Amino acid sequence: MSHEKRPQKDMAKSKTVFVCSECGNESSKWLGRCPACNSWNTFYEQKVVETSSKDKNRPRVSAAPQSLNSYKAQETIRTSTGFNELDRVLGGGLVKGSLILLGGEPGIGKSTLILQICDKVKGEGKVLYVSGEESAEQIKLRADRLGIKNDDILFLGETNIEVVNEAIININPKLVIIDSIQTMYSEDITAAAGSVSQVREITRTSYESL
Ligand SMILES: [Zn+2]
């Protein structure tokens, strides 16, 4: 499985757009008030990398419609989280290469559930637990309370997504936990941590490192 690196990045040009930090609305010029969410002074400058024209002119061979009946669906391999109820919600367990957003009010037990999943998730390999909110000590205390003693769970206290992505590439874990996505930031984005553009970029880049 070795795909060749295409030299397209060299041909890419960068231009500037203005993005609303509240809702992610984009504009070619700076606006005092966002027409989408009505927030004031939320637009900031962001560099976008345009794909080269060579890329745009690529023949679209794969776009030919195919009979649905003849299409062979690939069998999805699912990994149990160790919780029947959660597996059911996920449609039978975790799918390799997938991304799941776990939301909920503070204090409902997200961190406890996540730690239990880290412990119970089946399959070979390590689990990388990244926290931008809690220290290793805090998570260790929670693990102790839950009776979790698992050498496969690795902790990284980090909010820089570039560092997190490097760890993902080095460790090649079976599962990555990011607690929480709003606390992460990318050096490439000038907007504040937790803003729409940060969350969007972080989710995209960390997903690509998997
Ligand atoms: Zn807006």
Side-chain angles (χ1 to χ4, degrees):
M1 251 195 11
S2 68
H3 27 231
E4 280 176 33
K5 283 226 165 109
R6 287 170 294 178
Q8 275 164 7
K9 284 247 157 112
D10 303 334
M11 299 181 71
K13 291 187 295 188
S14 67
K15 70 168 193 178
T16 292
V17 289
F18 294 87
V19 183
C20 171
S21 62
E22 282 299 308
C23 71
N25 183 31
E26 287 179 10
S27 166
S28 57
K29 59 180 193 299
W30 190 86
L31 300 169
R33 188 182 195 181
C34 175
C37 71
N38 295 325
S39 299
W40 287 96
N41 297 318
T42 51
F43 275 85
Y44 63 91
E45 202 176 333
Q46 189 181 312
K47 277 213 174 87
V48 288
V49 176
E50 255 190 315
T51 49
S52 67
S53 55
K54 199 178 161 190
D55 205 29
K56 280 178 194 156
N57 295 332
R58 194 176 50 190
R60 297 170 187 175
V61 280
S62 60
Q66 205 188 338
S67 150
L68 193 61
N69 200 32
S70 71
Y71 184 77
K72 272 210 188 86
Q74 281 199 314
E75 207 185 323
T76 316
I77 300 157
R78 290 181 186 270
T79 304
S80 175
T81 60
F83 291 92
N84 292 337
E85 191 72 356
L86 187 61
D87 286 351
R88 196 176 57 77
V89 172
L90 296 170
L94 298 164
V95 176
K96 194 179 180 205
S98 71
L99 184 90
I100 295 153
L101 184 67
L102 181 71
E105 295 297 311
I108 61 160
K110 290 189 298 290
S111 305
T112 300
L113 177 66
I114 283 169
L115 208 49
Q116 288 172 318
I117 293 168
C118 289
D119 187 40
K120 289 184 172 183
V121 71
K122 305 277 191 305
E124 296 288 301
K126 306 278 180 197
V127 172
L128 179 63
Y129 192 120
V130 183
S131 180
E133 288 170 349
E134 290 185 297
S135 65
E137 287 75 19
Q138 284 173 294
I139 291 163
K140 177 72 171 79
L141 281 172
R142 185 175 302 122
D144 286 347
R145 271 205 311 278
L146 296 166
I148 295 171
K149 287 183 190 342
N150 190 332
D151 289 333
D152 283 340
I153 304 173
L154 305 177
F155 178 80
L156 177 66
E158 186 58 65
T159 52
N160 182 329
I161 201 69
E162 278 83 25
V163 177
V164 173
N165 290 344
E166 219 176 281
I168 294 172
I169 291 162
N170 289 337
I171 297 161
N172 192 22
K174 62 181 169 187
L175 177 68
V176 181
I177 303 289
I178 297 179
D179 182 18
S180 65
I181 200 78
Q182 299 102 294
T183 59
M184 300 294 140
Y185 75 95
S186 167
E187 284 168 356
D188 298 339
I189 307 287
T190 45
S195 65
V196 175
S197 9
Q198 279 284 2
V199 171
R200 189 168 53 188
E201 180 65 11
I202 286 157
T203 312
R204 188 186 63 74
T205 60
S206 54
Y207 184 71
E208 281 173 0
S209 334
L210 287 173

